[in-house]
Amino acid sequence: MSRLEDSIMEMRHHFIYGRAKAEREKSLREVALNNPIVLDQNKPMGVYLDRIGLPKVETEVRGLDKDRFNLFAREYFGFVLWDNLLTKFRESVDIDKEKKRIDVFLERISCLDGYKAKTIEDYARVIKNSRDAFLEAYIKYVQTGEVGNFIENLEVPFIMIEYSIKKFKGMLNNNSFFAIIAEHNETISNSSYRAINNIVCSRINGDISMNVATEPDSWKTYYGMNGQLAEYVHDYGVIELDNSLNEHIKKLKMKYEDTNEE
């Protein structure tokens, strides 16, 4: 196990800083690949996300609701995460062989989200539909100020990811955690930064450890949706792939000193 993999597979949230995106992505995908979803063992599992947030969309519409943006971002990221977990599960295990435990899981998860799926593929389809619906509704809202009644048409309209993951781990009979590797390779909406920071600020790392890979000056805010600040050491650790974080801190210091000159 490499030092990078060893750090990521800790039960702790991290920000991973590095500028070489292609190298970074390759290394992080390998970490996730080396840590598959496993049954009946208490071993951590890695999941790589190459999409993490709603896109930044320009608009001339005024008076848009911040709380609505937060709802879109929170639910979208929840569905993205859940979709990726279900995908990796289906890639990692023999679905036919594990049909009995999957059927029990689908019954239990239906009590949480209200949809009784016939198969794990059916359930994954519904989750993807919800993910895409929130993305489309967000773009429509930004561009027109209108939302419509899209939620009424969804088989699973909301995701309570912290509870869903506990049921998922129960099915796996694995009491460890998921190391979520979130690749930040494009500008996302401010509300999406806040939605991800919410998880970093939370004490959910017994089930999920968030590992956000980004350039130091590209992550726009460390505040969550309720104004809480994700704090280094207290809430997350830092993994440095190169010297970019030190360079960024030096620039900030120089900028601060310039603004305080007589």
Side-chain angles (χ1 to χ4, degrees):
M1 184 179 289
S2 68
R3 182 179 296 180
L4 173 63
E5 184 173 342
D6 192 47
S7 298
I8 289 175
M9 299 310 294
E10 291 178 340
M11 192 184 292
R12 187 171 189 197
H13 304 310
H14 294 100
F15 276 89
I16 304 169
Y17 296 115
R19 294 204 187 282
K21 290 184 180 180
E23 268 180 48
R24 188 179 76 198
E25 179 180 339
K26 181 175 181 293
S27 298
L28 296 177
R29 284 185 181 275
E30 285 179 359
V31 171
L33 190 63
N34 291 343
N35 294 274
I37 288 180
V38 292
L39 306 174
D40 306 319
Q41 302 176 62
N42 293 327
K43 292 179 62 176
M45 301 158 280
V47 179
Y48 179 87
L49 309 182
D50 59 1
R51 72 157 91 180
I52 61 172
L54 298 166
K56 185 76 172 176
V57 178
E58 298 300 324
T59 183
E60 296 182 1
V61 180
R62 297 292 175 258
L64 297 176
D65 185 2
K66 180 181 175 181
D67 289 339
R68 196 177 295 278
F69 280 134
N70 286 343
L71 170 67
F72 285 137
R74 183 183 66 243
E75 296 303 323
Y76 178 73
F77 181 70
F79 281 116
V80 165
L81 178 54
W82 198 215
D83 170 56
N84 276 270
L85 282 168
L86 293 171
T87 297
K88 182 149 188 176
F89 171 72
R90 288 178 291 139
E91 293 171 348
S92 301
V93 306
D94 185 331
I95 298 299
D96 293 332
K97 182 180 176 182
E98 303 301 335
K99 184 178 185 305
K100 184 175 180 179
R101 77 166 81 201
I102 291 171
D103 287 345
V104 172
F105 164 72
L106 293 175
E107 180 67 32
R108 289 176 177 171
I109 203 73
S110 70
C111 299
L112 187 63
D113 58 31
Y115 179 73
K116 188 166 176 53
K118 297 180 178 65
T119 64
I120 194 71
E121 290 81 9
D122 178 38
Y123 185 60
R125 172 191 62 79
V126 166
I127 296 304
K128 283 183 188 291
N129 286 346
S130 296
R131 177 200 67 189
D132 294 344
F134 270 95
L135 173 60
E136 291 169 10
Y138 158 76
I139 293 173
K140 178 182 177 181
Y141 181 63
V142 173
Q143 293 177 339
T144 69
E146 299 176 0
V147 178
N149 61 348
F150 78 100
I151 287 177
E152 296 176 11
N153 299 320
L154 296 178
E155 290 153 306
V156 177
F158 300 106
I159 187 77
M160 292 185 285
I161 194 67
E162 63 272 29
Y163 299 110
S164 298
I165 288 209
K166 288 185 183 300
K167 291 186 181 296
F168 192 53
K169 285 172 56 179
M171 172 186 65
L172 302 177
N173 191 27
N174 185 336
N175 200 37
S176 192
F177 66 97
F178 294 97
I180 306 301
I181 304 169
E183 183 75 65
H184 176 232
N185 50 23
E186 59 186 1
T187 303
I188 57 179
S189 70
N190 291 336
S191 54
S192 286
Y193 289 112
R194 293 193 296 267
I196 294 167
N197 291 338
N198 257 26
I199 295 181
V200 175
C201 290
S202 72
R203 296 294 174 265
I204 197 176
N205 47 310
D207 296 319
I208 297 173
S209 70
M210 281 297 302
N211 297 271
V212 180
T214 185
E215 296 183 22
D217 49 359
S218 295
W219 197 255
K220 301 303 182 185
T221 180
Y222 289 83
Y223 282 95
M225 289 182 170
N226 299 319
Q228 73 274 38
L229 176 65
E231 299 180 73
Y232 172 53
V233 179
H234 183 267
D235 293 313
Y236 66 89
V238 165
I239 299 173
E240 297 183 56
L241 302 181
D242 54 29
N243 201 40
S244 58
L245 180 60
N246 286 334
E247 292 171 357
H248 178 60
I249 291 171
K250 285 179 183 178
K251 287 180 182 178
L252 291 178
K253 285 181 178 178
M254 290 175 62
K255 184 177 179 181
Y256 176 79
E257 288 168 359
D258 288 344
T259 59
N260 283 276
E261 288 182 354
E262 291 289 343

